[in-house]
Amino acid sequence: MFIIAQGTKQHKPSTLSWFVKKTMHLSAIASLAVSSSMIHAETSQQTTTTDEGSEINRADGTVEPSTTLPTIVVTAETNKQITENTDSYTIPVASSATGLTLSAKETPQATSVVTNQQIKDQNSTNLTEVLKRAPGIQVGSIDGARSGFSARGFGITGFQIDGLNTDFVQQAAMGEYSANTAMFDHVEIVRGATGLMSGSGDPSANVNLIRKRADSDIPVTELSANVNRYGNYGISVDRSQALSESGAVRGRVVASYQDGDTFIDRQELGQSLIYATVDADVSDNTTVSVGASRQHNKSKSTMWGGLPSYLSDGSKADWDTSTNASPNWSNWDSDNVYYFADIDHDFNEDWNLTTKASYNESDSSPKLLYLYANGSQVIDPDVGLVYNLNPFHADTERKQVNVKTELTGNFDALGRTHKLIVGGSYNKSDLDTFTYTAPPDGLLPVSEFADWDGNYPEPAWGDKTQSSDVTIKEKAIFAATQLKLSDPLSVILGSRVSDYERSGVQYGRNVNTESKHIWTPYAGITYDINKNHSLYTSYSDIFKPQTQRDIKGDYLDPIEGKNYEIGLKSESDTGALQSQVSLFRIEQDNLAQLDGGQIIPGTSLENAYVGAKGATSQGVEVEVTGELSDKLKATIGYTHFNAEDKNGKAINTGYADTTLNVFATYDLDDVVPNLTIGGGIDWSNGYYGVVTNPVTQRSEKYGQDDVTLASIMAKYAINKNLDAQLNVNNLFNQKYLAGENFFGLTYGEPLNVVGRLTYRF
């Protein structure tokens, strides 16, 4: 009998060490067999088999005796860092933490992967939705176009695409957080300090988005359509195929369109995406990849700064979740264009050289109106007093160049095989902002906010002047090695040396920050208790220049600190189920904190900050992900931390210090053929900010109590090509404040129902 397992074509040998090859070999074969049956069933070679002694009837009527042949299993080596079409919630190996290709159990740091199957099961259409459900990550809304991410009590500012540092400019809100998941295979998250691979950054987490590649030489097409209860709808197509007869050149195109209303009155959100990539095997050992993407983000009648927090009697406001304070003419549209290229060369089975480069242009031209209250000018529930207005119109453009070269390999010493990575990177980001002058004669007053319907005339904008011209450069060299000191004991040692420079002019002030030869050491130890469990500990330095200013208008000093972590990691024999328990402690100096809600004099509502000395965060994280049984897949994450300054005063209180994320799917095929059901719970305890009551002029807490968001889903395979899926989010319609900004209120999305049809051929 012949059994032929066809899989996604891999065009270069793996560089994994003998240890990973041995432990993952059986699971790789099993995963390959499953993947091939799902994707390439129609193209699989068919061979007739019989038992010994049976007969085969030939087409001419003659009878021929048959003989049982020995079973032959043919496998193609698959890329273990691709999750698409694996039906898995785990990934065998990843490299975001140290640059070394390691299993989760070998990595001495807390890591999570949101696989392609998880993205589909949870119907996460953009990056923000992915991170909302990721273990250990919190997502807050600042206003209609901006979000904030955090982990372990600190904001997340470190983002990468295919391992290249990418600057997401929060204040400019150019749509990066709405990156369409249709072009990504999976998302890797490394929690804690990630200075070894990402350079300067927060000790919260680093988020690495891994693009889909043109890795199939067999024609495959996926069509999808979706609609939700608010009338937001979309369609997408994903096509892969060989571009040469031999399959050495392969192409892939993804196109997506989304548009429609939201739960907020008059607000419309949408996006259009085109993504194309080509992979070419220029030799047996060298692959070249090139590609480009363009995403346009539509954001009409979008609020800037949120809803008013207080009423005229000093009480806290409570608005309908659908309330919109923006005028009808406001918009916050943006465009993101990326060009990228990779060259991957295997010298032999052990050594590989990879060079990656990308160029990005992003721009936005928002027209906004901010309604805010000072002193007695606050919303009166009965009369409706005059409300202060701040119009804003600007053209913002950011250009980025990112390059990274890495040499990775295995070497033998002292009778054992070890791993090594050496490399260098260069990142440059230019940000230019041109601001239009507001009308010199002021704006018409606004009263009776309860009757506000957005019908407010657009101002006659004045001259355009350049308000920001800032360039950030960071270049670095880095190296790390995994030394196998014994069968169970491994040590990872690494370091990065970086030069950082920020220069230019921003809102009339010179920006000149320079840090030379910043050394970021990294050390980690893993000890295998047995083949399923390992202990680990790790250490890393923290360094991050800051863009926040104090009440005098001076920029705060860079953050400096240390990150410690210890934990236990486990995985099943096949790696389909993984778990980790992590204890961490973060120590930082100069961490920016809001200065009591004060505004920097001479600025347009720019908050003043102070640097907190001796800031610490310590806590625990628990995560279980993967197959709990052959029919049950789940991801479970729990986090608790305590963040405070040197005097024991709580800091970063706008982030919940305890969260629980649970999501699971169950295959009901034995009960109802082709049906899968699932659901989840996202729970967080209270969070708050300290703000000044505009009536009493006293500082007080303003926040949100515990939030519990439930979701359910069902997926039905109508036939082998067509699937129908239904997701219900915020099942019990909980009303809650979704933002870390309590100077303006932003509510979370109420109950929503999303339907999706997917056709594959």
Side-chain angles (χ1 to χ4, degrees), residues 134 195 290 404 480 493 528 628 644:
V290 296
K404 179 186 285 187
L493 299 174
D528 292 335
L628 300 177
E644 56 188 26

Side-chain angles (χ1 to χ4, degrees), residues 485-639:
L485 302 185
S486 66
D487 287 342
L489 180 63
S490 297
V491 174
I492 295 178
L493 299 174
S495 183
R496 183 185 187 96
V497 179
S498 306
D499 289 342
Y500 177 92
E501 178 185 341
R502 184 170 183 262
S503 60
V505 178
Q506 190 166 26
Y507 297 107
R509 297 181 64 91
N510 290 328
V511 176
N512 290 297
T513 303
E514 189 175 32
S515 300
K516 293 287 189 180
H517 310 314
I518 302 301
W519 180 48
T520 307
Y522 180 93
I525 300 173
T526 61
Y527 182 82
D528 292 335
I529 302 171
N530 53 41
K531 69 175 183 178
N532 301 114
H533 307 283
S534 68
L535 294 171
Y536 78 88
T537 185
S538 62
Y539 165 86
S540 180
D541 271 4
I542 299 165
F543 175 80
K544 184 198 174 185
Q546 301 189 87
T547 59
Q548 294 90 342
R549 297 196 287 166
D550 62 21
I551 193 65
K552 298 178 181 179
D554 297 326
Y555 287 94
L556 299 182
D557 291 335
I559 296 172
E560 296 183 358
K562 305 178 186 300
N563 184 94
Y564 306 91
E565 190 168 327
I566 187 171
L568 170 69
K569 293 195 176 185
S570 305
E571 66 179 22
S572 62
D573 290 341
T574 64
L577 178 64
Q578 300 174 356
S579 68
Q580 56 190 342
V581 178
S582 309
L583 301 174
F584 61 86
R585 178 176 173 83
I586 300 166
E587 300 173 355
Q588 295 188 95
D589 282 327
N590 306 321
L591 178 67
Q593 298 289 288
L594 284 170
D595 190 1
Q598 296 189 80
I599 302 298
I600 299 175
T603 68
S604 177
L605 302 176
E606 182 181 349
N607 291 315
Y609 289 82
V610 295
K613 301 294 184 181
T616 63
S617 174
Q618 53 191 3
V620 59
E621 293 175 335
V622 180
E623 182 178 344
V624 179
T625 302
E627 295 183 6
L628 300 177
S629 72
D630 59 345
K631 294 184 177 297
L632 178 63
K633 291 195 292 285
T635 177
I636 305 167
Y638 170 83
T639 300

Side-chain angles (χ1 to χ4, degrees), residues 80-106:
K80 296 178 181 179
Q81 293 181 267
I82 292 177
T83 69
E84 190 179 18
N85 300 315
T86 65
D87 196 37
S88 177
Y89 276 22
T90 61
I91 189 171
V93 293
S95 57
S96 294
T98 64
L100 301 167
T101 305
L102 303 172
S103 67
K105 194 165 68 73
E106 291 180 293

Side-chain angles (χ1 to χ4, degrees), residues 281-508:
D281 302 327
V282 297
S283 72
D284 290 341
N285 298 320
T286 305
T287 298
V288 175
S289 302
V290 296
S293 67
R294 182 186 186 276
Q295 180 171 318
H296 172 72
N297 305 290
K298 171 187 174 182
S299 184
K300 184 178 181 295
S301 295
T302 300
M303 280 189 291
W304 180 32
L307 297 165
S309 304
Y310 287 93
L311 304 178
S312 61
D313 59 0
S315 62
K316 296 175 180 177
D318 182 18
W319 308 105
D320 290 337
T321 56
S322 60
T323 304
N324 190 344
S326 71
N328 292 330
W329 48 262
S330 69
N331 78 80
W332 210 328
D333 291 3
S334 60
D335 289 280
N336 304 117
V337 178
Y338 287 89
Y339 303 93
F340 60 92
D342 303 347
I343 301 176
D344 193 311
H345 176 73
D346 290 325
F347 295 102
N348 51 45
E349 290 187 355
D350 289 319
W351 289 93
N352 172 269
L353 179 66
T354 300
T355 297
K356 301 178 180 180
S358 70
Y359 174 76
N360 160 236
E361 289 186 4
S362 299
D363 62 77
S364 65
S365 184
K367 292 182 179 180
L368 306 169
L369 185 67
Y370 181 38
L371 282 70
Y372 66 101
N374 283 328
S376 61
Q377 289 187 309
V378 294
I379 296 298
D380 189 307
D382 299 319
V383 180
L385 299 178
V386 174
Y387 212 57
N388 295 322
L389 303 176
N390 182 40
F392 181 78
H393 178 24
D395 296 329
T396 302
E397 182 182 59
R398 185 200 58 219
K399 298 179 180 180
Q400 293 186 78
V401 176
N402 304 293
V403 181
K404 179 186 285 187
T405 296
E406 296 175 337
L407 175 66
T408 58
N410 306 318
F411 65 95
D412 294 330
L414 302 177
R416 299 185 182 278
T417 301
H418 316 278
K419 291 177 179 290
L420 176 69
I421 179 173
V422 294
S425 64
Y426 174 79
N427 310 307
K428 180 183 177 182
S429 174
D430 292 312
L431 180 66
D432 293 294
T433 303
F434 294 86
T435 306
Y436 293 83
T437 305
D441 54 352
L443 299 176
L444 295 174
V446 172
S447 60
E448 299 294 347
F449 179 74
D451 297 327
W452 172 267
D453 60 3
N455 288 319
Y456 185 87
E458 181 177 352
W461 305 103
D463 296 334
K464 182 173 73 170
T465 58
Q466 187 163 18
S467 55
S468 177
D469 180 8
V470 178
T471 298
I472 298 175
K473 298 179 183 178
E474 186 168 357
K475 55 185 178 180
I477 57 174
F478 53 87
T481 182
Q482 182 200 42
L483 302 175
K484 295 288 291 184
L485 302 185
S486 66
D487 287 342
L489 180 63
S490 297
V491 174
I492 295 178
L493 299 174
S495 183
R496 183 185 187 96
V497 179
S498 306
D499 289 342
Y500 177 92
E501 178 185 341
R502 184 170 183 262
S503 60
V505 178
Q506 190 166 26
Y507 297 107

